[in-house]
Each structure stands twice: as C-alpha cells, then as structure tokens.
C-alpha cells in the first residue's frame, strides 16, 4: 500500500545540541536504510521548513505505524498520513 506522509519536525531549543545531532544522524541512517529496502519510496524536503513529504510503500497501516513510531525524531514530529491509490488517468503504474 502507498501512503503520503507529511512530517513536520519541531525539536525544542532546550534539547541538548549533542543529543539533537545524534538523533538527526540516527534518523538519516534509518531513513536511508528504509529507502534502500524500498519501503520509503520518495523523500522530499518542504522548502523553508524543517519538514518533508514522503511516499511509503508498505504492507498496510500497522507496518507504517511501526516504522513512523520507530523514527528517532518521532517524539518531535507532527505527522499527517494519506492513503493513496492508482488514479484512473495515470500512465505510470503503482508498484
């Protein structure tokens, strides 16, 4: 199943810089692993914000929830999830 996931990150200014830097490093490693596995299909930065729009290709709601809640920056995110399906006028096929 495909999902569009919008993530807004809000790391508190009071969080220790070394802790924040480590969380960002861990987040990058995890996101790249999921991209290599094909689960995190697309990752787009929202210009001017600490935010992204991503496309996930996972088995369903539970798998997506488990992935998102395991992200190192998850405690500092506001997340919006939209399930996607093939549009009848689309030339490219989902897969």
């Amino acid at each position: 199943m495909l999902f569009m996931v919008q993530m807004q990150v809000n790391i508190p200014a009071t969080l220790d810089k070394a802790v924040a830097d480590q969380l960002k490093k861990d987040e990058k490693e995890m996101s790249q692993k999921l991209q290599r596995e094909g689960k995190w299909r697309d990752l787009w930065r929202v210009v001017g914000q600490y935010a992204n729009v991503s496309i996930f290709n996972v088995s369903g709601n539970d798998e997506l929830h488990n992935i998102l809640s395991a992200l190192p920056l998850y405690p500092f995110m506001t997340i919006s999830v939209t399930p996607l399906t093939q549009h009848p006028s689309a030339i490219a096929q989902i897969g």
Side-chain angles (χ1 to χ4, degrees):
M1 291 182 69
L2 293 179
F3 294 90
M4 178 180 68
V5 180
Q6 297 173 292
M7 298 178 233
Q8 178 75 45
V9 182
N10 298 294
I11 299 174
T14 57
L15 187 65
D16 180 81
K17 183 183 178 332
V19 172
D21 289 345
Q22 185 63 50
L23 287 170
K24 291 174 192 176
K25 180 178 182 271
D26 295 345
E27 182 88 11
K28 181 177 183 177
E29 289 174 8
M30 185 173 177
S31 73
Q32 290 180 345
K33 176 182 179 289
L34 289 164
Q35 288 173 72
R36 284 189 291 276
E37 292 173 356
K39 293 178 187 239
W40 197 325
R41 273 189 28 171
D42 296 290
L43 174 59
W44 298 94
R45 172 174 282 158
V46 178
V47 176
Q49 298 179 37
Y50 194 173
N52 72 73
V53 174
S54 297
I55 303 297
F56 284 82
N57 188 6
V58 294
S59 63
N61 297 334
D62 290 336
E63 183 179 14
L64 181 62
H65 177 77
N66 290 337
I67 287 171
L68 295 176
S69 62
L71 292 172
L73 291 173
Y74 177 77
F76 309 108
M77 290 182 180
T78 302
I79 298 174
S80 172
V81 176
T82 305
L84 301 173
T85 191
Q86 182 76 40
H87 192 284
S89 297
I91 294 172
Q93 295 297 307
I94 294 177

PDB file of all heavy atoms in Angstrom, residues 1 3 57-66:
ATOM      1  N   MET A   1       0.836  -1.187   0.000  1.00  0.00           N
ATOM      2  CA  MET A   1       0.000   0.000   0.000  1.00  0.00           C
ATOM      3  C   MET A   1       0.876   1.244   0.000  1.00  0.00           C
ATOM      4  O   MET A   1       1.907   1.277   0.665  1.00  0.00           O
ATOM      5  CB  MET A   1      -0.885   0.023   1.242  1.00  0.00           C
ATOM      6  CG  MET A   1      -1.969  -1.039   1.281  1.00  0.00           C
ATOM      7  SD  MET A   1      -3.007  -0.912   2.764  1.00  0.00           S
ATOM      8  CE  MET A   1      -3.873   0.603   2.437  1.00  0.00           C
ATOM      9  N   PHE A   3       1.351   5.273   0.852  1.00  0.00           N
ATOM     10  CA  PHE A   3       0.902   6.324   1.753  1.00  0.00           C
ATOM     11  C   PHE A   3       1.736   7.571   1.517  1.00  0.00           C
ATOM     12  O   PHE A   3       2.957   7.483   1.364  1.00  0.00           O
ATOM     13  CB  PHE A   3       1.087   5.918   3.220  1.00  0.00           C
ATOM     14  CG  PHE A   3       0.236   4.769   3.651  1.00  0.00           C
ATOM     15  CD1 PHE A   3       0.695   3.467   3.530  1.00  0.00           C
ATOM     16  CD2 PHE A   3      -1.021   4.983   4.194  1.00  0.00           C
ATOM     17  CE1 PHE A   3      -0.083   2.394   3.941  1.00  0.00           C
ATOM     18  CE2 PHE A   3      -1.811   3.926   4.605  1.00  0.00           C
ATOM     19  CZ  PHE A   3      -1.342   2.626   4.481  1.00  0.00           C
ATOM     20  N   ASN A  57       5.857   2.719   0.750  1.00  0.00           N
ATOM     21  CA  ASN A  57       5.264   1.540   0.121  1.00  0.00           C
ATOM     22  C   ASN A  57       5.408   0.394   1.113  1.00  0.00           C
ATOM     23  O   ASN A  57       6.469  -0.224   1.207  1.00  0.00           O
ATOM     24  CB  ASN A  57       5.964   1.215  -1.196  1.00  0.00           C
ATOM     25  CG  ASN A  57       5.265   0.122  -1.967  1.00  0.00           C
ATOM     26  OD1 ASN A  57       4.189  -0.339  -1.585  1.00  0.00           O
ATOM     27  ND2 ASN A  57       5.876  -0.302  -3.061  1.00  0.00           N
ATOM     28  N   VAL A  58       4.346   0.150   1.877  1.00  0.00           N
ATOM     29  CA  VAL A  58       4.379  -0.838   2.960  1.00  0.00           C
ATOM     30  C   VAL A  58       3.147  -1.745   2.863  1.00  0.00           C
ATOM     31  O   VAL A  58       2.235  -1.495   2.084  1.00  0.00           O
ATOM     32  CB  VAL A  58       4.444  -0.143   4.337  1.00  0.00           C
ATOM     33  CG1 VAL A  58       5.758   0.609   4.506  1.00  0.00           C
ATOM     34  CG2 VAL A  58       3.277   0.812   4.529  1.00  0.00           C
ATOM     35  N   SER A  59       3.128  -2.773   3.702  1.00  0.00           N
ATOM     36  CA  SER A  59       2.044  -3.750   3.639  1.00  0.00           C
ATOM     37  C   SER A  59       0.711  -3.216   4.135  1.00  0.00           C
ATOM     38  O   SER A  59      -0.343  -3.723   3.771  1.00  0.00           O
ATOM     39  CB  SER A  59       2.425  -5.000   4.434  1.00  0.00           C
ATOM     40  OG  SER A  59       2.603  -4.678   5.805  1.00  0.00           O
ATOM     41  N   GLY A  60       0.741  -2.186   4.981  1.00  0.00           N
ATOM     42  CA  GLY A  60      -0.516  -1.645   5.488  1.00  0.00           C
ATOM     43  C   GLY A  60      -0.308  -0.674   6.631  1.00  0.00           C
ATOM     44  O   GLY A  60       0.816  -0.247   6.933  1.00  0.00           O
ATOM     45  N   ASN A  61      -1.418  -0.349   7.285  1.00  0.00           N
ATOM     46  CA  ASN A  61      -1.422   0.645   8.367  1.00  0.00           C
ATOM     47  C   ASN A  61      -0.474   0.287   9.501  1.00  0.00           C
ATOM     48  O   ASN A  61       0.251   1.148  10.007  1.00  0.00           O
ATOM     49  CB  ASN A  61      -2.836   0.794   8.947  1.00  0.00           C
ATOM     50  CG  ASN A  61      -3.825   1.321   7.943  1.00  0.00           C
ATOM     51  OD1 ASN A  61      -3.475   2.009   7.011  1.00  0.00           O
ATOM     52  ND2 ASN A  61      -5.086   0.972   8.139  1.00  0.00           N
ATOM     53  N   ASP A  62      -0.500  -0.981   9.917  1.00  0.00           N
ATOM     54  CA  ASP A  62       0.321  -1.383  11.060  1.00  0.00           C
ATOM     55  C   ASP A  62       1.812  -1.235  10.766  1.00  0.00           C
ATOM     56  O   ASP A  62       2.563  -0.737  11.604  1.00  0.00           O
ATOM     57  CB  ASP A  62       0.000  -2.824  11.474  1.00  0.00           C
ATOM     58  CG  ASP A  62      -1.363  -2.960  12.110  1.00  0.00           C
ATOM     59  OD1 ASP A  62      -1.887  -1.960  12.655  1.00  0.00           O
ATOM     60  OD2 ASP A  62      -1.928  -4.078  12.072  1.00  0.00           O
ATOM     61  N   GLU A  63       2.230  -1.666   9.585  1.00  0.00           N
ATOM     62  CA  GLU A  63       3.652  -1.543   9.248  1.00  0.00           C
ATOM     63  C   GLU A  63       4.067  -0.076   9.190  1.00  0.00           C
ATOM     64  O   GLU A  63       5.122   0.298   9.713  1.00  0.00           O
ATOM     65  CB  GLU A  63       3.986  -2.235   7.929  1.00  0.00           C
ATOM     66  CG  GLU A  63       5.478  -2.174   7.631  1.00  0.00           C
ATOM     67  CD  GLU A  63       5.903  -2.872   6.345  1.00  0.00           C
ATOM     68  OE1 GLU A  63       5.038  -3.202   5.504  1.00  0.00           O
ATOM     69  OE2 GLU A  63       7.124  -3.068   6.185  1.00  0.00           O
ATOM     70  N   LEU A  64       3.235   0.757   8.579  1.00  0.00           N
ATOM     71  CA  LEU A  64       3.566   2.180   8.521  1.00  0.00           C
ATOM     72  C   LEU A  64       3.659   2.773   9.922  1.00  0.00           C
ATOM     73  O   LEU A  64       4.603   3.498  10.234  1.00  0.00           O
ATOM     74  CB  LEU A  64       2.543   2.950   7.683  1.00  0.00           C
ATOM     75  CG  LEU A  64       2.824   4.443   7.563  1.00  0.00           C
ATOM     76  CD1 LEU A  64       4.156   4.715   6.872  1.00  0.00           C
ATOM     77  CD2 LEU A  64       1.685   5.145   6.843  1.00  0.00           C
ATOM     78  N   HIS A  65       2.685   2.454  10.766  1.00  0.00           N
ATOM     79  CA  HIS A  65       2.705   2.972  12.140  1.00  0.00           C
ATOM     80  C   HIS A  65       3.981   2.541  12.867  1.00  0.00           C
ATOM     81  O   HIS A  65       4.623   3.354  13.545  1.00  0.00           O
ATOM     82  CB  HIS A  65       1.478   2.512  12.921  1.00  0.00           C
ATOM     83  CG  HIS A  65       1.503   2.968  14.341  1.00  0.00           C
ATOM     84  ND1 HIS A  65       1.193   4.259  14.703  1.00  0.00           N
ATOM     85  CD2 HIS A  65       1.858   2.322  15.482  1.00  0.00           C
ATOM     86  CE1 HIS A  65       1.331   4.391  16.013  1.00  0.00           C
ATOM     87  NE2 HIS A  65       1.737   3.232  16.506  1.00  0.00           N
ATOM     88  N   ASN A  66       4.358   1.285  12.707  1.00  0.00           N
ATOM     89  CA  ASN A  66       5.569   0.785  13.374  1.00  0.00           C
ATOM     90  C   ASN A  66       6.813   1.495  12.874  1.00  0.00           C
ATOM     91  O   ASN A  66       7.709   1.828  13.664  1.00  0.00           O
ATOM     92  CB  ASN A  66       5.691  -0.729  13.192  1.00  0.00           C
ATOM     93  CG  ASN A  66       4.645  -1.493  13.966  1.00  0.00           C
ATOM     94  OD1 ASN A  66       4.085  -0.996  14.949  1.00  0.00           O
ATOM     95  ND2 ASN A  66       4.338  -2.693  13.516  1.00  0.00           N
TER      96      ASN A  66
END
